[in-house]
Amino acid sequence: MKIVEVTSDNRELIKKIYQNEIDSFGLMGGADMWMIMSFVRYGKLYVLLDDLGKLLSVAQYQAILGKNAVFLYGFSTPESERGKGYGKKLLELTHEALKKSGIEKIYLTVDPKNVPAISMYEKAGYKIKELQEDEYGPGIHRYLMVKIF
Ligand SMILES: CC(C)(COP(=O)(O)OP(=O)(O)OC[C@H]1O[C@@H](n2cnc3c(N)ncnc32)[C@H](O)[C@@H]1OP(=O)(O)O)[C@@H](O)C(=O)NCCC(=O)NCCS
């Protein structure tokens, strides 16, 4: 198993990431190809792969202008690989990489009903900062969570 920072020339991997977005999030909330390329070129896109190159988990970070902070736009593990510790592992490894590059804070938003994700983030040191009501449309609330290194 290894962590890979995705680069723009790795089109096979980018295709797998795009397919996983559709499988994991459907039409709402997932990243399209425009967003994926933006994370690759102007943010950070990390994946956990097994020894044969199978996708085990994906983390997409956006830079926050003027701050030593990032926004974790998307985080997902393909359905067949969930509950095996891969999300936790990728989160830990990306935290190490971001910290080394001078990042001090990570923000994210999560559906207040998404118990697995909230549990994973809390175990990784994120705290709920506020409830953002109707953040992504009427009735689509989110918790804003933050991790400070
Ligand atoms: C949330 C998600 C990324 C977790 O990834 P994963 O690889 O399955 O997670 P792990 O196996 O590494 O588990 C890490 C922790 O998550 C929590 N967790 C994972 N699955 C869970 C479940 N079914 N119920 C409750 N908690 C769960 C636990 O706290 C777990 O820690 P533990 O192993 O000490 O119990 C995955 O369920 C997913 O991709 N969901 C759909 C997309 C999504 O909701 N992404 C988050 C958007 S903010």
Side-chain angles (χ1 to χ4, degrees):
M1 188 189 320
K2 62 175 176 182
I3 182 178
V4 170
E5 184 181 338
V6 183
T7 50
S8 59
D9 54 340
N10 201 335
R11 293 289 159 164
E12 278 311 305
L13 187 50
I14 287 170
K15 271 194 242 165
K16 287 186 200 170
I17 293 166
Y18 177 56
Q19 189 56 49
N20 176 58
E21 289 298 301
I22 295 168
D23 297 344
S24 291
F25 296 101
L27 286 179
M28 283 223 303
D32 61 24
M33 201 48 110
W34 278 256
M35 295 167 78
I36 290 171
M37 291 315 295
S38 167
F39 301 133
V40 167
R41 292 189 187 274
Y42 309 111
K44 293 281 181 201
L45 203 167
Y46 295 107
V47 294
L48 193 68
L49 300 178
D50 76 2
D51 295 341
L52 298 173
K54 185 161 73 162
L55 197 60
L56 301 178
S57 201
V58 181
Q60 299 156 335
Y61 292 93
Q62 282 179 334
I64 300 179
L65 279 177
K67 294 189 180 171
N68 292 331
V70 289
F71 178 70
L72 178 52
Y73 174 86
F75 195 94
S76 60
T77 295
E79 204 167 355
S80 59
E81 306 302 330
R82 288 183 195 160
K84 299 179 184 175
Y86 298 138
K88 183 179 167 179
K89 187 78 194 157
L90 182 61
L91 209 50
E92 276 170 17
L93 293 172
T94 59
H95 288 166
E96 282 170 25
L98 292 166
K99 203 173 162 184
K100 267 193 207 149
S101 68
I103 295 301
E104 294 163 1
K105 275 187 194 178
I106 304 175
Y107 294 91
L108 62 85
T109 63
V110 59
D111 183 340
K113 296 194 221 77
N114 192 341
V115 173
I118 293 169
S119 166
M120 178 181 71
Y121 294 135
E122 283 182 330
K123 283 181 188 166
Y126 290 78
K127 302 256 183 286
I128 295 171
K129 196 170 155 67
E130 62 185 48
L131 174 66
Q132 299 176 324
E133 288 195 55
D134 302 323
E135 178 71 359
Y136 297 126
I140 310 178
H141 312 312
R142 284 294 180 271
Y143 280 141
L144 174 67
M145 299 187 79
V146 61
K147 177 177 172 71
I148 302 173
F149 288 121

